[in-house]
């Protein structure tokens, strides 16, 4: 399955937190990655599957998930989808091939 870069745009930024919208495409994977800090993903359009900790989690509009630190995870589009990512500004990501 093809891996694509998500389309990302900043929605809001404060002193400690930042909120970004990410979007993915039907039938495509977003890059496998992890981060050093906990964050929250909220799906507001479309459907996707979150692969995290050897589990496939179906996500649809209105669903939210805590992403723990140091846990590899990846999104797969069931349909075109958009999610809002709430995270600390000092978060760092590591990507895998």
């Amino acid at each position: 399955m093809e891996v694509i870069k998500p389309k990302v745009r900043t929605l809001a930024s404060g002193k400690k937190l930042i909120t970004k919208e990410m979007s993915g495409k039907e039938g495509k994977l977003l890059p496998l990655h992890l981060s050093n800090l906990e964050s929250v993903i909220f799906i507001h359009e479309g459907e996707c599957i979150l692969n995290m900790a050897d589990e496939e989690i179906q996500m649809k509009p209105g669903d939210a998930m805590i992403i723990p630190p140091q846990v590899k995870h990846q999104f797969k589009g069931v349909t075109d989808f958009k999610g809002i990512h709430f995270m600390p500004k000092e978060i760092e990501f590591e990507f895998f091939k």
Side-chain angles (χ1 to χ4, degrees):
M1 187 170 285
E2 182 182 6
V3 177
I4 62 169
K5 284 180 80 171
K7 187 174 180 183
V8 178
R9 70 181 179 109
T10 299
L11 299 175
S13 184
K15 289 186 183 222
K16 295 185 178 189
L17 298 174
I18 189 164
T19 305
K20 295 185 176 186
E21 180 184 69
M22 63 155 196
S23 61
K25 297 286 185 187
E26 179 179 346
K28 307 289 184 189
L29 292 168
L30 298 185
L32 179 65
H33 64 285
L34 59 74
S35 63
N36 63 327
L37 299 171
E38 183 177 75
S39 64
V40 177
I41 186 73
F42 172 81
I43 302 301
H44 69 99
E45 286 183 28
E47 294 184 27
C48 64
I49 294 171
L50 170 58
N51 292 306
M52 181 171 65
D54 297 322
E55 191 177 349
E56 285 194 351
I57 302 157
Q58 187 86 23
M59 298 189 74
K60 60 188 182 326
D63 289 345
M65 183 65 58
I66 302 292
I67 308 292
Q70 305 302 327
V71 174
K72 288 183 183 178
H73 57 282
Q74 185 171 38
F75 292 90
K76 177 172 71 175
V78 174
T79 66
D80 289 358
F81 70 95
K82 290 183 180 179
I84 299 175
H85 196 188
F86 303 88
M87 63 198 123
K89 287 181 100 171
E90 68 270 12
I91 198 166
E92 296 175 5
F93 296 97
E94 181 179 354
F95 293 90
F96 303 92
K97 296 258 178 193

Coordinates of all heavy atoms in Angstrom, one line a residue:
M1 N 0.9 -1.2 0.0 CA 0.0 0.0 0.0 C 0.9 1.2 0.0 O 1.9 1.3 0.7 CB -0.9 0.0 1.2 CG -1.9 1.1 1.2 SD -3.2 0.9 2.6 CE -4.1 -0.5 1.9
E2 N 0.5 2.2 -0.8 CA 1.3 3.5 -0.9 C 1.3 4.3 0.4 O 0.2 4.5 1.0 CB 0.8 4.3 -2.1 CG 1.6 5.5 -2.3 CD 1.0 6.4 -3.5 OE1 -0.1 6.1 -4.0 OE2 1.6 7.4 -3.8
V3 N 2.5 4.8 0.8 CA 2.6 5.7 1.9 C 2.7 7.1 1.3 O 3.5 7.4 0.5 CB 3.8 5.4 2.7 CG1 4.0 6.4 3.9 CG2 3.7 4.0 3.3
I4 N 1.8 8.1 1.8 CA 1.9 9.4 1.4 C 2.1 10.4 2.6 O 1.9 10.0 3.7 CB 0.5 9.8 0.7 CG1 -0.7 9.7 1.7 CG2 0.3 9.0 -0.6 CD1 -2.0 10.3 1.2
K5 N 2.6 11.6 2.3 CA 2.7 12.6 3.3 C 1.4 13.2 3.6 O 0.6 13.5 2.6 CB 3.7 13.7 2.9 CG 5.1 13.3 2.9 CD 6.0 14.4 2.5 CE 6.2 15.4 3.6 NZ 7.2 16.5 3.3
P6 N 1.0 13.4 4.8 CA -0.3 14.0 5.1 C -0.3 15.5 4.8 O 0.8 16.1 4.8 CB -0.5 13.8 6.6 CG 0.9 13.7 7.1 CD 1.7 13.0 6.1
K7 N -1.4 16.0 4.4 CA -1.5 17.4 4.2 C -1.8 18.0 5.6 O -2.7 17.5 6.3 CB -2.7 17.7 3.3 CG -2.8 19.2 2.9 CD -3.9 19.4 1.9 CE -4.0 20.8 1.5 NZ -5.1 21.0 0.5
V8 N -1.0 18.9 6.1 CA -1.0 19.4 7.5 C -1.2 21.0 7.4 O -0.5 21.6 6.7 CB 0.2 19.0 8.3 CG1 0.2 19.6 9.7 CG2 0.4 17.5 8.3
R9 N -2.1 21.5 8.3 CA -2.1 22.9 8.5 C -2.4 23.2 9.9 O -3.1 22.5 10.6 CB -3.2 23.6 7.6 CG -4.6 23.3 8.0 CD -5.6 23.9 7.0 NE -7.0 23.6 7.3 CZ -7.8 24.5 7.9 NH1 -7.5 25.7 8.1 NH2 -9.1 24.1 8.2
T10 N -1.8 24.3 10.4 CA -1.9 24.7 11.8 C -3.3 25.4 12.0 O -3.6 26.3 11.2 CB -0.8 25.7 12.2 OG1 0.5 25.0 12.1 CG2 -0.9 26.2 13.7
L11 N -4.0 25.0 13.0 CA -5.3 25.7 13.3 C -5.2 26.7 14.4 O -5.9 27.7 14.3 CB -6.3 24.6 13.7 CG -6.7 23.5 12.6 CD1 -7.6 22.5 13.2 CD2 -7.2 24.1 11.4
A12 N -4.4 26.4 15.4 CA -4.3 27.3 16.6 C -3.0 27.0 17.3 O -2.5 25.8 17.3 CB -5.4 27.1 17.5
S13 N -2.4 28.0 17.9 CA -1.1 27.8 18.6 C -1.1 28.8 19.8 O -1.4 29.9 19.7 CB 0.0 28.2 17.6 OG 1.3 28.0 18.2
G14 N -0.7 28.2 20.9 CA -0.7 29.0 22.2 C 0.8 28.9 22.7 O 1.7 28.6 22.0
K15 N 0.9 29.2 24.0 CA 2.2 29.2 24.6 C 2.8 27.8 24.8 O 3.9 27.5 24.6 CB 2.2 29.9 26.0 CG 2.0 31.3 25.9 CD 2.1 32.0 27.3 CE 1.9 33.5 27.1 NZ 2.8 34.3 27.9
K16 N 1.9 26.8 25.1 CA 2.3 25.4 25.3 C 1.7 24.4 24.4 O 2.3 23.3 24.2 CB 2.0 25.0 26.7 CG 2.8 25.8 27.8 CD 2.5 25.3 29.2 CE 3.3 26.1 30.1 NZ 3.3 25.5 31.5
L17 N 0.6 24.7 23.7 CA -0.1 23.7 22.9 C -0.2 24.2 21.5 O -0.3 25.4 21.2 CB -1.5 23.5 23.4 CG -1.6 22.9 24.8 CD1 -3.1 22.8 25.3 CD2 -1.0 21.5 24.9
I18 N -0.3 23.3 20.5 CA -0.6 23.6 19.1 C -1.6 22.6 18.6 O -1.6 21.4 19.1 CB 0.8 23.6 18.3 CG1 0.5 24.1 16.9 CG2 1.4 22.2 18.3 CD1 1.8 24.5 16.2
T19 N -2.4 23.0 17.7 CA -3.5 22.2 17.1 C -3.3 22.2 15.6 O -3.2 23.3 15.0 CB -4.9 22.7 17.5 OG1 -5.0 22.8 18.9 CG2 -5.9 21.8 16.9
K20 N -3.2 21.0 15.0 CA -3.0 21.0 13.5 C -4.0 20.0 12.9 O -4.4 19.0 13.6 CB -1.6 20.4 13.2 CG -0.5 21.4 13.6 CD 0.9 20.9 13.2 CE 1.9 21.9 13.6 NZ 3.2 21.6 13.0
E21 N -4.5 20.4 11.7 CA -5.4 19.5 11.0 C -4.5 18.7 10.0 O -3.6 19.2 9.4 CB -6.4 20.3 10.2 CG -7.3 19.4 9.4 CD -8.3 20.1 8.6 OE1 -7.8 20.8 7.6 OE2 -9.5 20.2 8.9
M22 N -4.7 17.3 10.0 CA -4.0 16.5 9.0 C -5.1 15.8 8.2 O -6.2 15.6 8.7 CB -3.2 15.5 9.8 CG -3.9 14.5 10.6 SD -3.0 13.0 10.8 CE -4.4 11.9 11.4
S23 N -4.7 15.5 7.0 CA -5.7 14.8 6.1 C -5.0 13.7 5.4 O -3.8 13.7 5.1 CB -6.3 15.8 5.1 OG -5.4 16.4 4.3
G24 N -5.7 12.6 5.1 CA -5.3 11.5 4.4 C -6.2 11.1 3.3 O -7.4 11.6 3.3
K25 N -5.8 10.1 2.5 CA -6.6 9.7 1.3 C -7.1 8.3 1.4 O -6.4 7.4 2.0 CB -5.8 9.9 0.0 CG -5.4 11.3 -0.3 CD -6.5 12.0 -0.8 CE -6.2 13.4 -1.3 NZ -7.3 14.2 -1.6
E26 N -8.2 8.0 0.8 CA -8.7 6.6 0.8 C -7.7 5.6 0.2 O -7.1 5.9 -0.8 CB -10.0 6.6 -0.1 CG -10.6 5.2 -0.2 CD -11.9 5.3 -1.0 OE1 -12.4 6.3 -1.3 OE2 -12.3 4.2 -1.4
G27 N -7.5 4.5 1.0 CA -6.6 3.5 0.5 C -5.1 3.8 0.6 O -4.3 3.0 0.1
K28 N -4.7 4.9 1.2 CA -3.3 5.3 1.4 C -3.0 5.3 2.9 O -3.8 5.5 3.8 CB -3.1 6.7 0.8 CG -3.6 6.9 -0.6 CD -2.7 6.2 -1.6 CE -3.2 6.5 -3.0 NZ -2.6 5.7 -4.0
L29 N -1.7 5.0 3.1 CA -1.1 5.0 4.5 C -0.4 6.4 4.7 O 0.2 6.9 3.8 CB -0.1 3.9 4.7 CG -0.6 2.5 4.6 CD1 0.6 1.5 4.5 CD2 -1.4 2.2 5.9
L30 N -0.5 6.9 5.9 CA 0.4 8.0 6.4 C 1.6 7.3 7.0 O 1.6 6.2 7.4 CB -0.4 8.9 7.4 CG -1.6 9.5 6.8 CD1 -2.2 10.5 7.9 CD2 -1.4 10.3 5.5
P31 N 2.7 8.0 7.0 CA 4.0 7.4 7.5 C 3.9 6.9 8.9 O 3.3 7.5 9.8 CB 5.0 8.6 7.5 CG 4.4 9.6 6.5 CD 2.9 9.4 6.6
L32 N 4.6 5.7 9.1 CA 4.7 5.1 10.5 C 5.6 6.0 11.3 O 6.7 6.5 10.8 CB 5.3 3.7 10.3 CG 5.6 3.0 11.6 CD1 4.3 2.7 12.3 CD2 6.4 1.7 11.3
H33 N 5.2 6.4 12.5 CA 6.0 7.3 13.3 C 5.6 7.1 14.8 O 4.7 6.4 15.2 CB 5.7 8.7 12.9 CG 4.3 9.2 13.1 ND1 3.3 8.8 12.3 CD2 3.8 10.0 14.0 CE1 2.1 9.4 12.7 NE2 2.4 10.1 13.8
L34 N 6.4 7.8 15.6 CA 6.2 7.9 17.1 C 6.6 9.3 17.5 O 7.2 10.0 16.7 CB 6.9 6.8 17.9 CG 8.4 6.7 17.8 CD1 9.1 7.8 18.6 CD2 8.8 5.3 18.4
S35 N 6.2 9.7 18.7 CA 6.5 11.0 19.3 C 7.0 10.8 20.7 O 6.8 9.7 21.3 CB 5.4 11.9 19.2 OG 4.3 11.5 20.0
N36 N 7.7 11.8 21.2 CA 8.2 11.7 22.6 C 7.2 12.1 23.6 O 7.5 11.9 24.8 CB 9.5 12.6 22.7 CG 9.2 14.1 22.4 OD1 8.3 14.4 21.7 ND2 9.9 14.9 23.1
L37 N 6.1 12.7 23.2 CA 5.1 13.2 24.2 C 3.7 12.7 23.8 O 3.4 12.4 22.6 CB 5.1 14.7 24.2 CG 6.4 15.4 24.6 CD1 6.3 16.9 24.4 CD2 6.7 15.0 26.1
E38 N 2.8 12.6 24.8 CA 1.4 12.2 24.6 C 0.7 13.3 23.7 O 1.0 14.5 23.9 CB 0.8 12.1 25.9 CG -0.7 11.6 25.9 CD -1.2 11.4 27.3 OE1 -1.5 12.4 28.0 OE2 -1.3 10.2 27.7
S39 N -0.2 12.9 22.9 CA -1.1 13.8 22.1 C -2.4 13.2 21.9 O -2.7 12.0 22.3 CB -0.4 14.1 20.8 OG -0.3 13.0 20.0
V40 N -3.4 13.9 21.3 CA -4.7 13.5 21.1 C -5.0 13.7 19.6 O -4.8 14.8 19.1 CB -5.7 14.3 21.9 CG1 -7.2 13.9 21.6 CG2 -5.5 14.1 23.4
I41 N -5.6 12.7 19.0 CA -6.1 12.8 17.6 C -7.7 12.7 17.7 O -8.2 11.9 18.4 CB -5.5 11.8 16.7 CG1 -6.0 12.0 15.2 CG2 -5.9 10.4 17.1 CD1 -5.3 13.2 14.6
F42 N -8.3 13.7 16.9 CA -9.8 13.7 16.9 C -10.2 13.7 15.4 O -9.7 14.5 14.6 CB -10.3 15.0 17.5 CG -11.8 15.2 17.3 CD1 -12.7 14.6 18.1 CD2 -12.2 16.1 16.4 CE1 -14.1 14.8 18.0 CE2 -13.6 16.3 16.2 CZ -14.5 15.6 17.0
I43 N -10.9 12.7 15.0 CA -11.3 12.6 13.6 C -12.6 13.4 13.4 O -13.6 13.2 14.1 CB -11.6 11.1 13.1 CG1 -10.3 10.3 13.4 CG2 -12.0 11.0 11.7 CD1 -9.1 10.8 12.6
H44 N -12.6 14.3 12.4 CA -13.8 15.1 12.2 C -14.4 14.9 10.8 O -15.5 15.4 10.5 CB -13.6 16.6 12.5 CG -12.7 17.3 11.6 ND1 -13.1 18.1 10.6 CD2 -11.4 17.4 11.5 CE1 -12.1 18.7 9.9 NE2 -11.0 18.2 10.5
E45 N -13.7 14.3 9.8 CA -14.3 14.0 8.5 C -13.8 12.6 8.1 O -12.6 12.3 8.2 CB -13.9 15.0 7.5 CG -14.6 16.3 7.6 CD -14.2 17.3 6.5 OE1 -13.8 16.8 5.4 OE2 -14.2 18.5 6.7
G46 N -14.6 11.8 7.4 CA -14.2 10.6 6.9 C -13.9 9.5 7.9 O -14.2 9.6 9.1
E47 N -13.3 8.4 7.4 CA -12.9 7.3 8.3 C -11.5 6.8 8.0 O -11.0 6.9 6.9 CB -13.9 6.1 8.0 CG -15.3 6.4 8.5 CD -16.3 5.2 8.3 OE1 -15.8 4.1 8.4 OE2 -17.5 5.4 8.1
C48 N -10.9 6.3 9.1 CA -9.5 5.8 8.9 C -9.3 4.7 10.0 O -10.2 4.5 10.8 CB -8.5 6.9 9.2 SG -8.5 7.6 10.8
I49 N -8.2 4.0 9.8 CA -7.8 2.9 10.7 C -6.5 3.4 11.4 O -5.6 3.7 10.6 CB -7.7 1.6 10.1 CG1 -9.0 1.1 9.6 CG2 -7.0 0.6 11.0 CD1 -9.0 -0.2 8.7
L50 N -6.5 3.4 12.7 CA -5.3 3.8 13.4 C -4.6 2.4 13.8 O -5.2 1.7 14.5 CB -5.6 4.6 14.6 CG -4.5 4.8 15.7 CD1 -3.3 5.5 15.0 CD2 -5.0 5.6 16.8
N51 N -3.4 2.2 13.3 CA -2.7 1.0 13.7 C -1.7 1.4 14.8 O -0.8 2.3 14.6 CB -1.9 0.4 12.5 CG -2.8 -0.2 11.4 OD1 -3.6 -1.0 11.7 ND2 -2.6 0.3 10.2
M52 N -1.9 0.9 16.0 CA -1.1 1.3 17.1 C -1.0 0.1 18.1 O -2.1 -0.5 18.5 CB -1.8 2.5 17.8 CG -1.0 3.0 19.0 SD -1.7 4.6 19.6 CE -3.3 4.1 20.2
A53 N 0.2 -0.2 18.6 CA 0.4 -1.3 19.6 C -0.3 -2.6 19.1 O -1.0 -3.2 19.9 CB -0.1 -0.8 20.9
D54 N 0.0 -3.0 17.9 CA -0.5 -4.2 17.3 C -2.1 -4.3 17.4 O -2.6 -5.4 17.5 CB 0.1 -5.5 18.1 CG 1.5 -5.6 17.9 OD1 2.0 -5.3 16.8 OD2 2.2 -5.9 18.9
E55 N -2.7 -3.2 17.3 CA -4.2 -3.1 17.3 C -4.6 -2.2 16.1 O -4.0 -1.2 15.8 CB -4.6 -2.5 18.6 CG -6.1 -2.6 18.9 CD -6.5 -2.1 20.2 OE1 -5.6 -1.8 21.1 OE2 -7.7 -1.9 20.4
E56 N -5.7 -2.6 15.5 CA -6.3 -1.8 14.4 C -7.6 -1.1 15.0 O -8.5 -1.8 15.4 CB -6.7 -2.6 13.2 CG -5.5 -3.0 12.3 CD -6.0 -3.5 11.0 OE1 -7.2 -3.7 10.7 OE2 -5.1 -3.7 10.1
I57 N -7.6 0.2 15.1 CA -8.7 0.9 15.7 C -9.4 1.7 14.6 O -8.8 2.6 14.0 CB -8.1 1.9 16.8 CG1 -7.3 1.1 17.8 CG2 -9.2 2.7 17.4 CD1 -6.3 1.9 18.6
Q58 N -10.7 1.3 14.4 CA -11.5 2.0 13.4 C -11.9 3.4 14.0 O -12.4 3.5 15.1 CB -12.7 1.2 13.1 CG -13.6 1.7 12.0 CD -13.1 1.2 10.6 OE1 -12.5 0.2 10.5 NE2 -13.5 1.9 9.6
M59 N -11.7 4.5 13.2 CA -12.0 5.8 13.7 C -12.9 6.5 12.6 O -12.7 6.4 11.4 CB -10.8 6.6 13.9 CG -9.9 6.0 15.0 SD -8.5 7.1 15.5 CE -9.4 8.3 16.5
K60 N -14.0 7.2 13.1 CA -14.9 7.9 12.3 C -15.2 9.2 12.9 O -14.7 9.5 14.1 CB -16.2 7.0 12.1 CG -16.9 6.7 13.4 CD -18.0 5.7 13.2 CE -18.8 5.4 14.4 NZ -18.2 5.3 15.7
P61 N -15.9 10.1 12.3 CA -16.2 11.4 12.8 C -16.7 11.4 14.3 O -17.6 10.6 14.6 CB -17.2 12.1 11.9 CG -16.9 11.4 10.6 CD -16.5 10.0 10.9
G62 N -16.0 12.2 15.1 CA -16.4 12.3 16.5 C -15.5 11.4 17.4 O -15.6 11.5 18.6
D63 N -14.7 10.5 16.8 CA -13.9 9.6 17.6 C -12.6 10.3 17.9 O -12.0 11.1 17.1 CB -13.5 8.4 16.8 CG -14.7 7.4 16.7 OD1 -15.7 7.6 17.4 OD2 -14.6 6.5 15.9
A64 N -12.1 10.1 19.2 CA -10.8 10.6 19.6 C -10.0 9.5 20.2 O -10.5 8.5 20.7 CB -11.0 11.8 20.6
M65 N -8.7 9.7 20.2 CA -7.8 8.6 20.7 C -6.5 9.3 21.3 O -6.0 10.3 20.7 CB -7.3 7.7 19.6 CG -6.5 6.5 20.1 SD -7.3 5.4 21.2 CE -8.7 4.8 20.2
I66 N -6.1 8.9 22.5 CA -4.9 9.3 23.1 C -3.8 8.5 22.4 O -3.8 7.3 22.3 CB -4.9 9.0 24.6 CG1 -6.0 9.7 25.3 CG2 -3.5 9.4 25.2 CD1 -5.9 11.2 25.4
I67 N -2.7 9.3 22.0 CA -1.6 8.6 21.4 C -0.5 8.7 22.4 O 0.0 9.8 22.7 CB -1.1 9.3 20.1 CG1 -2.3 9.5 19.1 CG2 0.1 8.6 19.5 CD1 -2.8 8.2 18.5
P68 N -0.1 7.6 23.0 CA 0.9 7.6 24.1 C 2.3 7.9 23.5 O 2.6 7.7 22.3 CB 0.9 6.2 24.7 CG -0.3 5.5 24.1 CD -0.7 6.2 22.9
P69 N 3.2 8.4 24.3 CA 4.6 8.7 23.9 C 5.3 7.3 23.6 O 5.0 6.3 24.2 CB 5.2 9.4 25.0 CG 4.4 9.1 26.2 CD 3.0 8.8 25.8
Q70 N 6.2 7.4 22.6 CA 7.1 6.3 22.3 C 6.3 5.0 21.8 O 6.8 3.9 21.9 CB 8.0 5.9 23.5 CG 8.8 7.0 24.0 CD 9.7 7.7 23.0 OE1 10.2 7.0 22.1 NE2 9.9 9.0 23.1
V71 N 5.2 5.2 21.2 CA 4.4 4.1 20.6 C 4.3 4.4 19.1 O 3.7 5.4 18.7 CB 3.0 4.0 21.3 CG1 2.2 2.9 20.5 CG2 3.1 3.7 22.7
K72 N 4.8 3.4 18.3 CA 4.7 3.6 16.9 C 3.2 3.5 16.5 O 2.5 2.6 17.0 CB 5.5 2.5 16.2 CG 7.0 2.6 16.2 CD 7.7 1.5 15.4 CE 9.2 1.6 15.6 NZ 9.9 0.5 14.8
H73 N 2.8 4.3 15.5 CA 1.5 4.3 15.0 C 1.4 4.8 13.6 O 2.3 5.5 13.1 CB 0.5 5.1 15.9 CG 0.9 6.5 16.1 ND1 1.9 6.9 17.0 CD2 0.5 7.7 15.6 CE1 2.1 8.2 17.0 NE2 1.2 8.7 16.1
Q74 N 0.3 4.4 12.9 CA 0.1 4.8 11.5 C -1.3 4.8 11.2 O -2.1 4.0 11.7 CB 0.8 3.7 10.6 CG 0.9 4.0 9.2 CD 1.8 3.0 8.4 OE1 1.8 1.8 8.8 NE2 2.5 3.5 7.4
F75 N -1.7 5.7 10.3 CA -3.1 5.9 9.9 C -3.3 5.3 8.4 O -2.4 5.6 7.6 CB -3.5 7.3 9.9 CG -3.6 7.9 11.3 CD1 -2.5 8.5 11.9 CD2 -4.8 7.8 12.0 CE1 -2.6 9.0 13.1 CE2 -4.9 8.3 13.3 CZ -3.8 8.9 13.9
K76 N -4.4 4.7 8.2 CA -4.8 4.2 6.9 C -6.2 4.7 6.5 O -7.1 4.6 7.3 CB -4.8 2.7 6.8 CG -5.2 2.1 5.5 CD -5.0 0.6 5.4 CE -6.0 -0.1 6.2 NZ -5.9 -1.6 6.0
G77 N -6.3 5.4 5.4 CA -7.6 5.9 5.0 C -8.6 4.9 4.5 O -8.3 4.1 3.6
V78 N -9.7 4.8 5.2 CA -10.8 3.9 4.7 C -11.5 4.7 3.6 O -12.0 4.2 2.6 CB -11.8 3.6 5.9 CG1 -13.0 2.8 5.4 CG2 -11.0 2.7 6.9
T79 N -11.7 6.1 3.9 CA -12.2 7.1 3.0 C -11.2 8.2 3.1 O -10.3 8.2 3.9 CB -13.6 7.6 3.4 OG1 -13.5 8.3 4.6 CG2 -14.6 6.4 3.5
D80 N -11.3 9.2 2.3 CA -10.6 10.5 2.5 C -11.0 10.9 3.9 O -12.1 10.8 4.3 CB -10.9 11.6 1.5 CG -10.4 11.3 0.1 OD1 -9.7 10.3 -0.1 OD2 -10.6 12.1 -0.8
F81 N -10.0 11.4 4.7 CA -10.3 11.7 6.1 C -9.5 13.0 6.6 O -8.5 13.3 6.0 CB -10.1 10.6 7.1 CG -8.6 10.2 7.3 CD1 -7.9 10.7 8.4 CD2 -7.9 9.4 6.4 CE1 -6.6 10.4 8.5 CE2 -6.6 9.1 6.6 CZ -5.9 9.6 7.7
K82 N -10.0 13.6 7.6 CA -9.4 14.7 8.3 C -9.4 14.5 9.8 O -10.5 14.1 10.3 CB -10.0 16.1 7.9 CG -9.8 16.5 6.5 CD -10.3 17.8 6.2 CE -10.1 18.2 4.7 NZ -10.7 19.5 4.4
G83 N -8.3 14.8 10.4 CA -8.3 14.7 11.9 C -7.6 15.9 12.4 O -6.8 16.6 11.8
I84 N -7.9 16.2 13.7 CA -7.3 17.3 14.4 C -6.4 16.7 15.5 O -6.8 15.9 16.2 CB -8.3 18.3 15.0 CG1 -9.2 18.8 13.9 CG2 -7.7 19.4 15.8 CD1 -10.4 19.7 14.4
H85 N -5.1 17.2 15.4 CA -4.1 16.7 16.3 C -3.8 17.8 17.4 O -3.4 18.9 17.0 CB -2.9 16.4 15.5 CG -1.9 15.5 16.2 ND1 -0.6 15.3 15.7 CD2 -1.9 14.9 17.4 CE1 0.0 14.5 16.5 NE2 -0.7 14.2 17.5
F86 N -4.1 17.5 18.6 CA -3.8 18.4 19.8 C -2.5 17.9 20.4 O -2.4 16.7 20.9 CB -4.9 18.3 20.8 CG -6.3 18.7 20.2 CD1 -7.1 17.7 19.6 CD2 -6.8 19.9 20.2 CE1 -8.3 18.0 19.1 CE2 -8.0 20.3 19.7 CZ -8.8 19.3 19.1
M87 N -1.5 18.8 20.6 CA -0.2 18.3 21.1 C 0.6 19.5 21.7 O 0.3 20.6 21.4 CB 0.6 17.7 19.9 CG 0.9 18.7 18.8 SD 1.4 17.8 17.3 CE 0.2 18.5 16.2
P88 N 1.5 19.1 22.6 CA 2.4 20.1 23.2 C 3.3 20.7 22.1 O 3.7 19.9 21.1 CB 3.2 19.4 24.2 CG 2.5 18.1 24.4 CD 1.8 17.8 23.2
K89 N 3.7 22.0 22.1 CA 4.5 22.6 21.1 C 5.9 21.9 21.1 O 6.5 21.9 20.0 CB 4.7 24.1 21.4 CG 3.4 24.8 21.0 CD 3.6 26.3 21.2 CE 3.9 26.9 19.9 NZ 3.8 28.4 19.9
E90 N 6.4 21.4 22.2 CA 7.7 20.8 22.2 C 7.8 19.3 21.7 O 8.8 18.7 21.8 CB 8.4 21.0 23.6 CG 7.7 20.1 24.7 CD 6.6 20.9 25.4 OE1 6.1 21.9 25.0 OE2 6.1 20.3 26.4
I91 N 6.7 18.8 21.2 CA 6.6 17.4 20.7 C 7.7 17.2 19.6 O 7.9 18.1 18.8 CB 5.2 17.1 20.3 CG1 5.0 15.5 20.2 CG2 4.8 17.7 18.9 CD1 3.6 15.1 20.1
E92 N 8.3 16.1 19.6 CA 9.2 15.7 18.5 C 8.8 14.4 17.9 O 8.4 13.4 18.7 CB 10.6 15.6 19.1 CG 11.2 16.9 19.6 CD 12.5 16.7 20.3 OE1 13.1 15.6 20.3 OE2 13.0 17.7 20.8
F93 N 8.9 14.2 16.6 CA 8.4 13.0 15.9 C 9.6 12.3 15.3 O 10.6 12.9 14.9 CB 7.5 13.4 14.8 CG 6.2 14.0 15.2 CD1 6.1 15.4 15.2 CD2 5.1 13.2 15.7 CE1 4.9 16.0 15.7 CE2 4.0 13.8 16.1 CZ 3.8 15.2 16.1
E94 N 9.5 11.0 15.3 CA 10.5 10.1 14.6 C 9.7 9.3 13.6 O 8.7 8.6 14.0 CB 11.2 9.2 15.6 CG 12.2 8.3 15.0 CD 13.0 7.4 16.0 OE1 12.7 7.6 17.2 OE2 13.7 6.6 15.5
F95 N 10.2 9.3 12.3 CA 9.5 8.6 11.3 C 10.3 7.4 10.8 O 11.5 7.4 10.9 CB 9.3 9.5 10.1 CG 8.3 10.6 10.4 CD1 8.7 11.8 10.9 CD2 6.9 10.5 10.2 CE1 7.9 12.9 11.2 CE2 6.1 11.5 10.4 CZ 6.5 12.7 11.0
F96 N 9.6 6.3 10.4 CA 10.2 5.1 10.0 C 9.8 4.8 8.6 O 8.7 5.1 8.1 CB 9.7 3.9 10.9 CG 10.0 4.2 12.4 CD1 9.1 4.9 13.2 CD2 11.2 3.9 12.9 CE1 9.3 5.2 14.5 CE2 11.5 4.1 14.2 CZ 10.6 4.8 15.0
K97 N 10.6 4.0 7.9 CA 10.3 3.6 6.5 C 9.5 2.3 6.5 O 9.5 1.5 7.3 CB 11.6 3.4 5.7 CG 12.4 4.6 5.6 CD 12.3 5.2 4.2 CE 13.1 6.5 4.1 NZ 12.8 7.2 3.0

